[in-house]
């Protein structure tokens, strides 16, 4: 139903496998808007594919691309990772450095998508769940062209001392569960404060009883975020 498997060819011939979702009526057309949805640590693109039809439903022509992370997960050979989680402390410098080292892959991916679909970066919303949301913030805020928006679900901004190239009016959504035992809500609160200190005004969606997951309210909230900023930029 609307999915096409595509390769994203990076520098040196390295490839990311990805799934592109377009409504059946739009398949084969160049999408005017694109959402990049990145999975969490130890998962792969299949984990988030069911969200694509719902997220694309509010914007005519919108496509969703769900890539696989470049590396096999160190803790799960059947899953993938955007960067190594070499410490149990998500606030450690080791984790921040690993995340920063993964940023070039995301930037290359964005370059390829802009070229492939002949669109400006402002027509792309970048985000993901958990580790996917973490690297979306780090890579997106440092991307050389203005993006359409960034969203982070159950994650956080690990690299607040990084170079920032996005303007403060960039739409940002942070969604989190207050009962998250994997990435505590405190990480989202710290990320919010850091973003505000840099001049950004992130939107917040806190789910009181949600663990480390994506519930119906978060799906609806993200769909609204995507629809609002995709339509405003048209």
């Amino acid at each position: 139903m609307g999915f096409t498997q595509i390769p994203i060819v990076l520098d040196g011939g390295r490839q990311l496998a990805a799934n592109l979702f377009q409504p059946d009526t739009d398949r084969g057309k160049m999408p005017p808007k694109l959402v990049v949805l990145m999975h969490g640590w130890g998962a792969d693109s299949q984990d988030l594919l069911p969200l694509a039809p719902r997220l694309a439903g509010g914007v005519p022509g919108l496509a969703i691309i769900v890539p696989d992370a470049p590396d096999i997960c160190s803790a799960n050979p059947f899953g993938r990772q955007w960067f190594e989680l070499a410490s149990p402390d998500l606030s450690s410098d080791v984790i921040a450095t690993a995340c920063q080292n993964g940023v070039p892959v995301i930037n290359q991916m964005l370059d390829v998508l802009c070229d492939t679909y002949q669109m400006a970066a402002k027509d792309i919303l970048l985000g993901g769940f958990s580790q996917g949301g973490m690297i979306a913030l780090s890579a997106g805020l440092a991307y050389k062209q203005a993006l359409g928006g960034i969203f982070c679900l159950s994650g956080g901004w690990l690299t607040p001392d990084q170079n920032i190239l996005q303007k403060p009016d960039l739409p940002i959504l942070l969604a989190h569960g207050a009962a998250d035992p994997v990435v505590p809500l405190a990480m989202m609160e710290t990320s919010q404060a850091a973003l505000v200190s840099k001049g950004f005004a992130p939107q917040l969606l806190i789910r009181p009883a949600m663990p480390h997951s994506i519930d119906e309210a978060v799906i609806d909230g993200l769909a609204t975020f995507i629809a609002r900023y995709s339509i405003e930029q048209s």
Side-chain angles (χ1 to χ4, degrees), residues 164-211:
I164 296 173
L165 298 179
Q166 296 294 308
K167 295 181 179 179
D169 61 352
L170 174 74
I172 299 174
L173 173 67
L174 305 177
H176 217 105
D180 191 331
V182 178
V183 181
L185 178 64
M187 175 166 278
M188 190 213 73
E189 295 170 337
T190 300
S191 301
Q192 176 200 13
L195 288 164
V196 169
S197 74
K198 304 294 185 182
F200 296 95
Q203 301 176 40
L204 305 182
L205 175 55
I206 300 174
R207 299 292 297 143
M210 189 176 76

Side-chain angles (χ1 to χ4, degrees), residues 40-118:
W41 189 64
D44 60 21
S45 58
Q46 299 298 314
D47 192 48
L48 297 180
L49 288 186
L51 301 184
R54 293 184 60 178
L55 298 179
V59 184
L62 179 70
I64 312 288
I65 191 160
V66 191
D68 284 329
D71 300 321
I72 295 173
C73 179
S74 59
N76 173 19
F78 300 102
R80 313 290 296 183
Q81 64 184 26
W82 299 102
F83 56 91
E84 178 61 83
L85 293 181
S87 168
D89 179 7
L90 289 174
S91 63
S92 74
D93 291 341
V94 172
I95 299 295
T97 298
C99 181
Q100 193 64 54
N101 289 341
V103 162
V105 167
I106 309 303
N107 289 341
Q108 289 177 39
M109 177 177 67
L110 291 171
D111 289 344
V112 170
L113 293 175
C114 287
D115 183 61
T116 300
Y117 297 108
Q118 301 174 23

Side-chain angles (χ1 to χ4, degrees), residues 8 34-38 63-67 82 106 109-110 113 124-128 136 151:
I8 300 174
L34 188 65
V35 173
V36 180
L37 180 61
M38 297 187 289
I64 312 288
I65 191 160
V66 191
W82 299 102
I106 309 303
M109 177 177 67
L110 291 171
L113 293 175
I124 297 177
L125 278 79
L126 176 71
F151 57 91

